[in-house]
Amino acid sequence: MLSKPLERHVSLSFCEHLRSHDLLYLNQSGFRSNHSCETALINITDKWLKAMDDGELIGAVFMDFSKAFDLVNHDVLLRKLAKYHISQQALQWFTSYLDGRSQQCSVLGSLSSPLMLERGVPQRSILGPKLFSIYINDLPMSLGEANADIYADDTTLWPSSKSCDEIQQTLQNALDITEQWLTVNNMVSNTTKTKKLLIGTVQKLRHSDKDELDLYLNGTKLGEIKNEKLLGIKLDKHLKWNKHIEYLIRKLNSRICLLKRAKEHLTIHCRTLLYNAIIKPILEYCCTVWGNCSKEQLIRLLKIQKRCARLILNANFRDNSVKLFTELGWLPISDTINCRKLYMLHKISLGHCPDYFSEYIRYLKDSHNYNTRASTNRNAVIPTYKKVSGSRMFQTSAIRLWNTVEVSLQDMLSHKQFVNKLEQKRLLENAQLQHFSIETTF
């Protein structure tokens, strides 16, 4: 019974050691406080949109490791831990933690013979994910000019350049190094599931000297894809999010059918709970990432929300949707996206964010020595951009929104209070409307 509290204590001390000595790779977002799928996706898509704004193409390889957590070599892991300034006593504890583990299968009450586990980190454990982060932490250090963004075992390799030949050469070198790293670390890549994608604006891809990249891993040519699902979000070659919205609507429609079938047996309160459990999380998942989609796509999602509101409240098609949303305490999807962006920026302002967001908010008063109306109003610096791609960056659109928020709200030390105040403000403003008008969120 003491194993979990002990493991949690070791995990907290170990993570604090790694954080205080800055030992983890900057763009490793898995199993770290203040990091999430959302922050990882914002980080990588903002960098890609910035490259597109600079007239560059991006070559991305989405790595797939076979049984990544199960293939961790204990000896290799312990040698790596020793290099992270772990004391000899702590290293002995980790050795004891990993050694002597076994597993059994139970079928109809019958147990199989125990099988000793000579590799792999313990599944469903507190320390296991952290140990895997250490195991993979040194991979990006030897990739040369290619970038790597990692979330657990989801690893994306990418460079950006105006030349397809340069992108291909950089990526192929990174893949060759990755292949060597996998061999040394006793891990295996799944070449059939490892895919590549060439990303850029419509104009840049149309005038590119290559339609796709010729890349090889373990002697196998990697497959080219038109879109890829990364951390639950579908990416396409223009970062327009049309494919993701299509995927989202299909998934939402199946859940709405469940709500429709169940509503006759539920009270309005229970219908709302069901919506919050099976529909709202899907609709709002990482909306700060795909929220810069087109106005037409946002209208489609608003119609999904209206349909759900009518089902919950037994309303008909002619009932005013503003009144329905006000009764339920809902915000339309465009307002939800904008609020989520502001929630993230408030966390960044408090320092509750990954280090790769540390420079996202810079105030005009700190960038020059003379007073302007914007600097005295505490406005933040909006990143400069040349094309639509730059305006669609999270940082650009979120900072523009941040500059419209009252300073008293920006300065709140409680994030929960900030969220509540901002949501209530938006709900009161919407209650005065005759109908919802959707605008793009960038």
Side-chain angles (χ1 to χ4, degrees):
M1 296 297 292
L2 292 175
S3 61
K4 288 299 180 184
L6 174 61
E7 201 175 344
R8 187 173 290 108
H9 170 74
V10 173
S11 176
L12 289 172
S13 300
F14 184 47
C15 289
E16 176 58 26
H17 170 77
L18 296 173
R19 187 201 63 77
S20 61
H21 291 86
D22 197 22
L23 295 173
L24 286 177
Y25 174 60
L26 176 66
N27 294 312
Q28 160 64 282
S29 298
F31 318 118
R32 300 175 68 180
S33 61
N34 299 322
H35 292 66
S36 64
C37 293
E38 184 179 26
T39 64
L41 286 164
I42 289 172
N43 183 36
I44 194 169
T45 53
D46 261 22
K47 288 185 288 190
W48 287 354
L49 287 167
K50 180 65 171 68
M52 290 164 65
D53 190 64
D54 292 336
E56 296 182 333
L57 294 168
I58 303 99
V61 172
F62 304 95
M63 296 294 303
D64 187 276
F65 299 136
S66 296
K67 305 285 185 182
F69 285 77
D70 295 330
L71 293 180
V72 171
N73 184 288
H74 293 173
D75 292 333
V76 175
L77 174 59
L78 291 169
R79 286 200 298 270
K80 291 187 179 188
L81 284 171
K83 294 182 181 295
Y84 284 85
H85 311 298
I86 301 294
S87 68
Q88 189 61 35
Q89 187 177 10
L91 196 60
Q92 289 173 355
W93 188 93
F94 278 111
T95 303
S96 173
Y97 175 78
L98 292 168
D99 286 350
R101 288 183 175 268
S102 63
Q103 66 179 16
Q104 290 177 281
C105 291
S106 175
V107 179
L108 299 175
S110 299
L111 281 175
S112 67
S113 301
L115 178 67
M116 297 304 296
L117 296 176
E118 298 178 354
R119 59 181 62 227
V121 292
Q123 298 293 316
R124 298 183 181 178
S125 65
I126 297 171
L127 269 174
K130 277 80 173 178
L131 293 175
F132 182 80
S133 295
I134 289 293
Y135 199 76
I136 203 172
N137 194 53
D138 59 316
L139 171 60
M141 299 177 186
S142 54
L143 293 177
E145 297 179 11
N147 303 290
D149 283 78
I150 303 173
Y151 191 96
D153 60 335
D154 287 306
T155 301
T156 306
L157 309 179
W158 64 275
S160 64
S161 173
K162 295 183 178 180
S163 165
C164 274
D165 289 333
E166 186 175 333
I167 290 173
Q168 179 164 304
Q169 182 178 351
T170 302
L171 264 180
Q172 188 58 62
N173 289 340
L175 287 170
D176 293 341
I177 293 168
T178 301
E179 186 178 336
Q180 295 171 14
W181 184 91
L182 291 169
T183 302
V184 170
N185 289 275
N186 298 298
M187 295 189 72
V188 180
S189 63
N190 188 334
T191 53
T192 58
K193 291 186 178 180
T194 297
K195 303 294 183 182
K196 64 182 188 293
L197 178 64
L198 189 60
I199 301 168
T201 61
V202 175
Q203 296 83 355
K204 193 69 179 176
L205 286 173
R206 184 182 297 130
H207 297 100
S208 171
D209 51 347
K210 287 180 182 290
D211 293 329
E212 63 177 67
L213 303 169
D214 293 321
L215 298 171
Y216 295 83
L217 180 64
N218 291 333
T220 302
K221 185 176 180 179
L222 299 183
E224 182 79 15
I225 50 173
K226 293 184 178 179
N227 57 81
E228 171 67 6
K229 193 174 180 182
L230 179 64
L231 301 179
I233 299 295
K234 278 189 174 288
L235 305 168
D236 62 75
K237 61 183 178 180
H238 303 307
L239 298 184
K240 291 289 185 68
W241 310 114
N242 292 336
K243 293 292 183 183
H244 179 71
I245 302 300
E246 293 289 346
Y247 161 77
L248 200 58
I249 289 174
R250 286 196 303 272
K251 199 169 183 180
L252 289 169
N253 281 335
S254 65
R255 303 297 178 95
I256 291 172
C257 286
L258 292 175
L259 175 62
K260 186 176 181 179
R261 289 201 297 269
K263 74 164 194 161
E264 300 300 332
H265 309 286
L266 301 173
T267 63
I268 289 177
H269 175 69
C270 289
R271 292 174 201 167
T272 306
L273 291 178
L274 185 61
Y275 170 86
N276 290 338
I278 67 172
I279 296 174
K280 184 180 178 181
I282 295 172
L283 176 64
E284 297 183 4
Y285 175 72
C286 288
C287 62
T288 51
V289 179
W290 54 260
N292 55 29
C293 61
S294 67
K295 178 180 177 179
E296 291 72 23
Q297 300 291 14
L298 290 176
I299 290 173
R300 294 177 71 191
L301 293 175
L302 178 60
K303 288 179 179 178
I304 293 277
Q305 281 186 294
K306 289 180 178 180
R307 184 181 169 194
C308 291
R310 292 190 178 99
L311 283 173
I312 292 171
L313 297 174
N314 282 326
N316 61 52
F317 187 75
R318 294 180 181 177
D319 289 333
N320 185 283
S321 56
V322 173
K323 292 181 179 178
L324 299 180
F325 277 47
T326 300
E327 184 176 345
L328 290 167
W330 288 5
L331 293 173
I333 187 62
S334 57
D335 282 356
T336 297
I337 293 166
N338 287 338
C339 284
R340 287 292 190 91
K341 289 180 178 181
L342 290 172
Y343 299 163
M344 181 64 72
L345 273 195
H346 187 253
K347 282 186 176 182
I348 293 172
S349 73
L350 295 176
H352 303 160
C353 64
D355 287 343
Y356 45 70
F357 286 159
S358 60
E359 298 297 322
Y360 259 50
I361 301 179
R362 293 184 298 110
Y363 289 100
L364 283 170
K365 64 182 179 62
D366 300 325
S367 61
H368 52 66
N369 297 321
Y370 52 89
N371 288 333
T372 63
R373 182 179 298 176
S375 63
T376 53
N377 287 342
R378 272 273 304 274
N379 279 7
V381 179
I382 299 174
T384 56
Y385 56 90
K386 309 163 193 171
K387 305 173 185 175
V388 175
S389 302
S391 69
R392 293 174 59 236
M393 292 169 55
F394 166 85
Q395 185 182 14
T396 306
S397 58
I399 291 294
R400 190 179 288 114
L401 287 168
W402 184 253
N403 288 340
T404 67
V405 176
E406 298 92 333
V407 173
S408 59
L409 273 178
Q410 292 180 9
D411 288 343
M412 282 186 174
L413 297 178
S414 167
H415 181 66
K416 185 176 180 180
Q417 189 178 7
F418 174 84
V419 169
N420 291 336
K421 290 281 187 183
L422 186 64
E423 185 177 358
Q424 289 304 315
K425 184 174 183 292
R426 291 286 189 267
L427 288 171
L428 288 172
E429 290 171 351
N430 285 348
Q432 309 305 314
L433 300 175
Q434 295 299 316
H435 59 85
F436 292 125
S437 60
I438 290 289
E439 300 295 336
T440 52
T441 60
F442 61 92

